[in-house]
């Protein structure tokens, strides 16, 4: 009899646990916005208005229709109140609704006041960055000089640039530090959106838009330019003309023979150079033509 009673209690406990889990997972993936799947909204502390997430707030408050003096971003760490999407109960920031018990985000960060139901992103909080990032904490390290998180693949190979991501993307001008888009680190150490790099390559641009250094192996292009220069003799009046050039790749200055196609660095053999003194400017578009 005692054994049967214990079995019934176990069944009741299991049923209760299943019911609690079912309530917490109610509506998972069915609520949210274009930025996140989540089961709550936030009350912005800056303007006391309700939005699905901070990105929704920032997009709404920074449009051309808004007076420039009134444009602003929400201070994410100052969010104090959230509204449950299922029962509309407003409450202090917490993972589970105090009214209906639903889990408002399978991933929850109390430091960032951040909720997200899509845990496939492998979110984690970086204390050094002060924000949540995606990709799995085990796959990233925080570089104290660059002041941002990078893939562990780059731990011993990247060139450190102070506050590397604390600026806008040099192509699309979106702030990089807390962007939701994928970022890549160029050989020079500067950061840029991965999609922006792909867009540059579609337009045959292979130098960093910040420092102008080549960010990929250009040796085959330089060989083609060697051949084209050899096949394009300059007119007699220019054959003894010399100019000074600055190499964007190694930083060396050189005095070289002027040529209309391109000028080659005497130190590293790069054609990613710019003319600094003497003669008419060379035709830099030839490098672009070589990579087409």
């Amino acid at each position: 009899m005692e054994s049967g009673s214990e079995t019934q209690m176990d069944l009741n406990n299991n049923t209760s646990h299943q019911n609690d889990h079912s309530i917490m997972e109610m509506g998972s993936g069915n609520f949210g916005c274009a930025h996140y799947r989540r089961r709550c909204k936030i009350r912005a502390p800056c303007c006391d208005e309700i939005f699905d997430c901070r990105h929704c707030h920032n997009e709404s408050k920074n449009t051309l229709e808004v007076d420039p003096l009134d444009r602003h971003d929400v201070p994410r760490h100052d969010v104090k109140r959230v509204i449950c999407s299922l029962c509309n109960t407003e409450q202090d920031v917490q993972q589970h609704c105090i009214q209906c018990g639903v889990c408002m985000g399978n991933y929850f960060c109390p430091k960032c006041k951040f909720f997200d139901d899509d845990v496939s992103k492998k979110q984690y909080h970086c204390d050094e960055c002060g924000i949540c990032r995606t990709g799995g904490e085990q796959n990233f390290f925080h570089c104290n000089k660059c002041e941002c998180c990078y893939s562990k693949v780059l731990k011993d190979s990247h060139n450190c640039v102070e506050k590397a991501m604390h600026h806008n993307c040099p192509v699309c001008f979106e702030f990089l530090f807390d962007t939701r888009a994928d970022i890549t680190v160029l050989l020079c150490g500067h950061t840029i959106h991965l999609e922006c790099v792909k867009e540059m390559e579609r337009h045959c641009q292979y130098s960093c838009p910040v420092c102008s250094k080549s960010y990929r192996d250009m040796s085959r292009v330089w060989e083609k330019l060697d051949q084209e220069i050899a096949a394009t003799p300059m007119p007699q009046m220019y054959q003894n003309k010399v100019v000074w050039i600055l190499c964007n790749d190694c930083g060396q200055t050189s005095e070289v023979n002027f040529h209309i196609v391109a000028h080659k660095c005497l130190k590293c053999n790069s054609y990613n150079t710019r003319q600094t003194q003497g003669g008419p400017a060379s035709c830099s578009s030839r490098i672009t033509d070589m990579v087409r």
Side-chain angles (χ1 to χ4, degrees), residues 171 184-187 192-209 213-218 221 287-292:
V171 175
T184 187
V185 185
L186 304 181
L187 293 176
I192 186 174
H193 283 130
L194 179 59
E195 188 55 42
C196 290
V197 171
K198 293 179 180 178
E199 182 66 21
M200 288 173 56
E201 291 179 347
R202 284 192 284 269
H203 291 82
C204 300
Q205 299 296 320
Y206 299 100
S207 59
C208 172
K213 289 185 178 181
S214 302
Y215 63 79
R216 54 167 286 185
D217 182 10
M218 299 292 287
V221 178
I287 296 179
T288 299
D289 292 339
M290 288 294 101
V291 298
R292 290 186 186 279

Side-chain angles (χ1 to χ4, degrees), residues 7-221:
T7 301
Q8 184 62 43
M9 289 177 62
D10 290 340
L11 289 173
N12 290 338
N13 289 336
N14 289 337
T15 302
S16 176
H17 178 75
Q18 291 173 358
N19 289 338
D20 291 343
H21 181 74
S22 178
I23 291 173
M24 287 190 295
E25 292 304 309
M26 188 182 302
S28 178
N30 297 326
F31 294 90
C33 58
H35 308 104
Y36 303 112
R37 296 283 88 191
R38 62 205 304 184
R39 285 161 282 177
C40 68
K41 299 180 180 181
I42 63 170
R43 182 176 290 279
C46 44
C47 51
D48 201 36
E49 296 180 31
I50 297 174
F51 294 89
D52 284 310
C53 74
R54 68 181 183 89
H55 294 291
C56 292
H57 168 280
N58 296 345
E59 290 174 0
S60 174
K61 295 300 181 180
N62 290 284
T63 62
L64 295 177
E65 289 74 21
V66 177
D67 188 311
L69 297 178
D70 294 329
R71 296 173 190 171
H72 64 281
D73 290 343
V74 65
R76 71 170 84 185
H77 298 98
D78 294 342
V79 173
K80 296 291 190 295
R81 305 284 286 176
V82 295
I83 299 90
C84 176
S85 298
L86 276 76
C87 68
N88 292 318
T89 299
E90 185 166 345
Q91 57 204 280
D92 292 338
V93 174
Q94 54 200 303
Q95 188 170 17
H96 298 93
C97 176
I98 59 173
Q99 179 64 32
C100 66
V102 71
C103 176
M104 293 184 284
N106 289 326
Y107 174 82
F108 170 65
C109 177
K111 296 178 181 179
C112 293
K113 318 297 172 59
F114 176 59
F115 302 78
D116 197 350
D117 273 336
D118 183 8
V119 293
S120 66
K121 301 173 186 175
K122 299 180 180 179
Q123 303 94 327
Y124 69 97
H125 180 85
C126 175
D127 286 326
E128 288 85 357
C129 286
I131 61 174
C132 289
R133 298 202 176 278
T134 60
E137 186 173 9
Q138 71 279 8
N139 299 319
F140 291 84
F141 75 100
H142 184 88
C143 177
N144 291 322
K145 183 174 181 179
C146 296
E147 296 187 23
C148 53
C149 288
Y150 286 151
S151 168
K152 287 186 175 179
V153 175
L154 300 173
K155 190 167 186 177
D156 299 317
S157 61
H158 77 286
N159 289 317
C160 286
V161 174
E162 188 173 355
K163 294 187 175 181
M165 288 202 295
H166 293 255
H167 60 81
N168 296 337
C169 172
V171 175
C172 70
F173 301 110
E174 180 188 357
F175 190 58
L176 288 173
F177 185 68
D178 57 1
T179 181
R180 294 172 61 245
D182 291 334
I183 292 175
T184 187
V185 185
L186 304 181
L187 293 176
C188 55
H190 291 116
T191 53
I192 186 174
H193 283 130
L194 179 59
E195 188 55 42
C196 290
V197 171
K198 293 179 180 178
E199 182 66 21
M200 288 173 56
E201 291 179 347
R202 284 192 284 269
H203 291 82
C204 300
Q205 299 296 320
Y206 299 100
S207 59
C208 172
V210 177
C211 65
S212 297
K213 289 185 178 181
S214 302
Y215 63 79
R216 54 167 286 185
D217 182 10
M218 299 292 287
S219 56
R220 294 182 63 184
V221 178

